[in-house]
Amino acid sequence: MSSETAAPTSVSTHILDTSVGRPAEGVALTLSVRSGSNGDWTAHGASTTDADGRCKDLPALPEGTTQVRLDFAVEEYFAHHKATQQAEEQQDAPRVRDSGVFFPEVAITFAVKPGEHYHVPLLLNPFGYSVYRGS
């Protein structure tokens, strides 16, 4: 009898700060999981992006996980990196705009299937963001 073990379901992420054209180093994030769309969220891991804006050390997902949520603490990142000020200086809009980060956090929820890897890149700036399933 063969004792094959199914590949673990895993998640990684990569954040690029498009306001300065560089990886977003030092963004804290948490990983939460649940089974079914009505299940309760359970914290499962936390990390911080490295110098390349990547987070590759999140734990494998527990068996039965059907949905994952990544919560990115971007307000702290922008407060430390002054990217908000740089982005505002590049805008043609009047200076009466509220200063600061428009999105203090970014929460991304997605469905998962057993045995697959999910890479979730986040393109970030102080006034918006975009996310997609990468490879």
Side-chain angles (χ1 to χ4, degrees):
M1 230 203 261
S2 174
S3 61
E4 283 188 41
T5 305
T9 307
S10 59
V11 174
S12 63
T13 190
H14 184 201
I15 306 174
L16 295 175
D17 181 345
T18 60
S19 66
V20 293
R22 294 191 189 130
E25 179 181 5
V27 177
L29 64 104
T30 58
L31 168 77
S32 300
V33 298
R34 72 179 176 186
S35 295
S37 58
N38 294 323
D40 292 330
W41 288 107
T42 303
H44 185 64
S47 190
T48 303
T49 55
D50 64 16
D52 195 33
R54 296 181 184 275
C55 183
K56 302 183 237 180
D57 61 350
L58 294 169
L61 304 181
E63 197 171 315
T65 298
T66 61
Q67 294 183 354
V68 172
R69 184 177 69 207
L70 292 172
D71 291 293
F72 300 92
V74 298
E75 185 172 38
E76 293 83 5
Y77 164 77
F78 283 120
H80 287 95
H81 290 85
K82 305 292 185 199
T84 301
Q85 181 181 359
Q86 291 172 350
E88 284 181 344
E89 290 170 0
Q90 295 171 5
Q91 299 291 320
D92 291 332
R95 296 287 172 226
V96 295
R97 175 187 317 167
D98 291 337
S99 62
V101 177
F102 185 65
F103 296 103
E105 62 184 54
V106 174
I108 308 299
T109 303
F110 54 99
V112 297
K113 294 182 181 177
E116 292 192 29
H117 175 72
Y118 295 86
H119 182 63
V120 183
L122 174 64
L123 303 177
L124 181 65
N125 71 66
F127 311 109
Y129 62 90
S130 179
V131 65
Y132 59 96
R133 181 174 181 184
S135 57

